[in-house]
Amino acid sequence: VGASAGFIGKNRLDAATEAAAKPAIAQAIIDLGVDSAEIAGVISNIREIFNVQEEDFAEMCGDVYKRYIIGMVKTPITMTSEMKELKNLRSALSMENLAVGSAHGAAAKEFYRQTSIFTPLEDLDDPDHPDRMSIDKFLFLSERAFRQGGETEQAFKYEMSRVSKAFNIKLSEAVERVAEVAEPFYQKALDSTRAKLDTDSV
């Protein structure tokens, strides 16, 4: 009985620690921003303050990342700054490639579940529907995150396949949809560069 009570007590302590530590991570990101030079150190200190095991803390960071990207794609328009924002978030949370892939896979499942409850499938097939645009944005940001992480081609295909499957589409279709998001996005960047060259402001 004593051992059982001790185990239950430990579980309650673990739950209490997680309940306090995870919001502290999120609050640090809100207060300092993902581009702060101090953010990674502050988040690392949170683990020490709450005395969280490294594996458990990595799981918390993955969940914070997951919630962050879901919040990001709820605005269907892709912004230039968002790729760097996710890269900075990854650095702030000290996440390895495998953890980033897992977070994107879990976020894709949750976002698709939330979206498909209220949005009919025919609307999700319409490229101009905001929820379809959000899914395409998710695919694009995932592709960029995996490429920025320097994944091998095999690992990249695995991670993108996991995200594609969560949205109930094939990898080939996901890649096409990424390209559709990227094309006007990079055309805008190219036009901006040309304009600067024309005015000698580069």
Side-chain angles (χ1 to χ4, degrees):
V1 177
S4 176
F7 180 72
I8 293 168
K10 183 183 181 302
N11 280 351
R12 284 177 179 162
L13 280 173
D14 288 347
T17 298
E18 180 175 353
K22 197 189 295 181
I25 298 168
Q27 192 61 50
I29 291 168
I30 292 166
D31 291 345
L32 295 174
V34 294
D35 57 348
S36 167
E38 302 169 15
I39 186 67
V42 169
I43 289 174
S44 180
N45 285 340
I46 290 170
R47 184 173 84 84
E48 294 178 17
I49 291 167
F50 290 96
N51 194 27
V52 183
Q53 294 294 320
E54 192 171 336
E55 189 177 330
D56 293 338
F57 195 72
E59 195 173 313
M60 291 178 199
C61 287
D63 194 58
V64 169
Y65 184 102
K66 180 188 81 171
R67 293 176 189 282
Y68 195 101
I69 191 172
I70 288 174
M72 183 179 274
V73 299
K74 283 182 178 176
T75 303
I77 305 300
T78 305
M79 306 294 289
T80 309
S81 59
E82 288 173 325
M83 288 182 289
K84 186 179 180 183
E85 195 176 331
L86 272 186
K87 188 177 181 181
N88 287 341
L89 178 65
R90 171 194 177 133
S91 296
L93 296 169
S94 302
M95 293 175 68
E96 301 290 340
N97 283 355
L98 193 62
V100 171
S102 295
H104 277 259
K109 279 184 181 178
E110 187 169 327
F111 184 63
Y112 187 67
R113 181 182 57 79
Q114 293 171 0
T115 304
S116 58
I117 288 172
F118 301 105
T119 308
L121 289 178
E122 56 265 30
D123 286 342
L124 294 180
D125 287 335
D126 177 5
D128 295 322
H129 191 280
D131 288 340
R132 161 64 184 265
M133 291 171 68
S134 287
I135 290 173
D136 289 352
K137 177 178 178 177
F138 193 111
L139 292 168
F140 173 73
L141 290 175
S142 295
E143 190 267 355
R144 287 292 82 206
F146 301 149
R147 291 295 189 197
Q148 286 174 348
E151 293 277 25
T152 64
E153 197 59 31
Q154 185 178 2
F156 170 79
K157 285 180 180 178
Y158 171 77
E159 298 297 3
M160 276 304 293
S161 294
R162 184 154 56 160
V163 171
S164 305
K165 187 177 179 182
F167 288 122
N168 205 25
I169 59 175
K170 292 181 179 179
L171 176 59
S172 56
E173 182 183 345
V175 171
E176 287 174 9
R177 284 162 69 163
V178 167
E180 286 168 7
V181 175
E183 198 275 328
F185 183 73
Y186 287 119
Q187 185 61 49
K188 185 178 177 182
L190 184 61
D191 290 344
S192 175
T193 302
R194 281 176 179 158
K196 287 177 183 176
L197 286 168
D198 290 342
T199 57
D200 296 324
S201 61
V202 176

